[in-house]
Amino acid sequence: MNETAFDESLFASLKPGLTSFCYRMLGSMDDADDAVQETSIRVWQSWSMFRQDSSFKTWVYRIASNLCVDKLRQSKRRALPVDLFDPAVSIVEPRDTLPDSAWIWPSPDFGGNPEDLLVRRDTLQLCFIALLQTLPPRQRAVLILKDVFEWSSKQIAETLAMSPAAVNSALQRARETMDRAELRSDELSSMDVLPEQQLLSRYVEAFEQFDIAALVALFHEEGCMSMPPFEMWIRGKEDLSAFYSLTRWHCEGSRFVPITVNGGYPALAQYMPGKEGDGLVPWGIHVIETKENQILHVQNFIHKPLFSRFGLPERIDQ
């Protein structure tokens, strides 16, 4: 039996990396936070059974992995609207939604853990998170630990209670599935590494002035916009122009606050006029993917709890 008192600082040092692992597994920061919290409780409760001759990190990740796998077995795959539905045929105000649990949501940074900064940033892109969700839970865990965290097959085998041969087999199947997956979100991410700051500034200016012609001119010919939790998404300049005209009453007078999402990717938090006429209130988080300095895809995540998660104010001045 382990007689040493539980060291909370030891768990705290693993928390940023653990959170990023759980986010990639589950596609939601709310679910990731719940999994990390439950992991900390189980680590504390089971501390007396921890054998000091094995790795504390491996033991903690084993608990977290099992929690994530169990959670995934009880839930449907999270996705992005462009991967579930075809673009809108007729341009109307969006009405049909799916519950929050159906969607992948963006994440803030996981903390200043030096180890976490080394983890490949491209594996936090929303399209990569969507690809991960196509994998069975244990294959997903193997691929994240191997290809993202760069763990050895031996360490992964110990963590997931598998043989190294089973780990390598699961990894091969996971990579094949990822290569075969034909997700629109993956196609739309054949984009510039980061949006040009000048393009973002022009987007902000056109949107805040609600100059529809200037706004649509920034889009690629096949550019599109999606708005989870709404199922509907728009593709093509003509339909984008019609949609912006239709929703002018709702968006006119909006203001943006710059933020970063998913490993430092630039994004914009949109505040819109409140019903009381006293300042601007949260509406959506715009993640803008570009190609050849044109907008290829605006993902507008309309989910007010994201604002508090990103440390944004509940209201700003008009």
Side-chain angles (χ1 to χ4, degrees), residues 175-188:
R175 286 173 176 166
E176 287 171 355
T177 300
M178 294 274 278
D179 288 342
R180 281 198 315 269
E182 294 181 355
L183 299 184
R184 272 205 196 93
S185 57
D186 192 34
E187 289 175 32
L188 291 171

Side-chain angles (χ1 to χ4, degrees), residues 83 133 163 299 301:
D83 293 329
Q133 308 309 302
S163 69
Q299 300 189 71
F301 293 91

Side-chain angles (χ1 to χ4, degrees), residues 189-202:
S189 76
S190 57
M191 57 185 186
D192 306 328
V193 178
L194 291 174
E196 293 281 341
Q197 188 54 52
Q198 187 181 18
L199 179 62
L200 287 179
S201 298
R202 287 162 64 201

Side-chain angles (χ1 to χ4, degrees), residues 130-148:
L131 278 170
L132 285 174
Q133 308 309 302
T134 65
L135 298 175
R138 289 181 75 75
Q139 286 184 30
R140 196 181 309 180
V142 167
L143 185 126
I144 293 168
L145 292 174
K146 184 69 173 179
D147 287 0
V148 179

Side-chain angles (χ1 to χ4, degrees), residues 20-291:
S20 71
F21 169 77
C22 292
Y23 172 68
R24 287 178 176 89
M25 284 289 289
L26 302 170
S28 155
M29 276 302 294
D30 285 344
D31 284 1
D33 279 348
D34 288 347
V36 172
Q37 178 65 22
E38 181 63 27
T39 298
S40 71
I41 292 169
R42 292 195 184 184
V43 166
W44 180 76
Q45 289 175 336
S46 308
W47 180 245
S48 61
M49 293 181 285
F50 170 56
R51 293 167 58 87
Q52 293 281 33
D53 55 351
S54 65
S55 161
F56 176 72
K57 183 176 181 178
T58 299
W59 181 60
V60 169
Y61 271 81
R62 182 183 305 151
I63 293 170
S65 299
N66 288 337
L67 277 166
C68 288
V69 167
D70 288 345
K71 192 173 185 67
L72 288 166
R73 282 175 178 154
Q74 299 164 17
S75 60
K76 292 182 179 178
R77 170 170 75 96
R78 287 181 180 268
L80 297 166
V82 295
D83 293 329
L84 294 181
F85 305 99
D86 288 330
V89 176
S90 58
I91 303 306
V92 296
E93 287 185 25
R95 291 186 181 85
D96 295 336
T97 63
L98 290 179
D100 293 346
S101 60
W103 305 114
I104 290 165
W105 300 104
S107 76
D109 293 333
F110 301 110
N113 187 301
E115 179 187 343
D116 197 47
L117 297 177
L118 299 174
V119 172
R120 285 170 42 202
R121 184 175 289 178
D122 61 325
T123 66
L124 274 173
Q125 285 183 358
L126 290 159
C127 64
F128 186 80
I129 302 298
L131 278 170
L132 285 174
Q133 308 309 302
T134 65
L135 298 175
R138 289 181 75 75
Q139 286 184 30
R140 196 181 309 180
V142 167
L143 185 126
I144 293 168
L145 292 174
K146 184 69 173 179
D147 287 0
V148 179
F149 286 75
E150 297 181 350
W151 285 21
S152 69
S153 295
K154 181 176 181 291
Q155 191 177 5
I156 296 168
E158 290 173 2
T159 301
L160 301 179
M162 301 166 70
S163 69
V167 166
N168 292 332
S169 175
L171 182 64
Q172 183 180 345
R173 293 198 306 276
R175 286 173 176 166
E176 287 171 355
T177 300
M178 294 274 278
D179 288 342
R180 281 198 315 269
E182 294 181 355
L183 299 184
R184 272 205 196 93
S185 57
D186 192 34
E187 289 175 32
L188 291 171
S189 76
S190 57
M191 57 185 186
D192 306 328
V193 178
L194 291 174
E196 293 281 341
Q197 188 54 52
Q198 187 181 18
L199 179 62
L200 287 179
S201 298
R202 287 162 64 201
Y203 180 82
V204 169
E205 182 181 2
F207 200 105
E208 290 187 348
Q209 293 179 3
F210 221 72
D211 182 338
I212 294 174
L215 191 55
V216 173
L218 300 176
F219 280 81
H220 189 275
E221 204 57 46
E222 288 296 302
C224 56
M225 175 179 60
S226 56
M227 306 154 285
F230 294 102
E231 299 175 3
M232 177 184 180
W233 62 280
I234 320 293
R235 181 167 66 189
K237 288 190 173 187
E238 189 177 328
D239 283 355
L240 284 164
S241 181
F243 183 79
Y244 284 129
S245 298
L246 188 67
T247 56
R248 174 186 286 277
W249 66 272
H250 180 78
C251 290
E252 205 164 25
S254 291
R255 292 288 179 269
F256 283 118
V257 174
I259 59 170
T260 60
V261 303
N262 289 56
Y265 195 88
L268 300 161
Q270 178 193 351
Y271 287 79
M272 56 170 279
K275 291 177 181 175
E276 295 82 18
D278 180 23
L280 303 172
V281 296
W283 177 245
I285 304 289
H286 294 224
V287 181
I288 299 172
E289 298 168 326
T290 63
K291 183 179 183 180

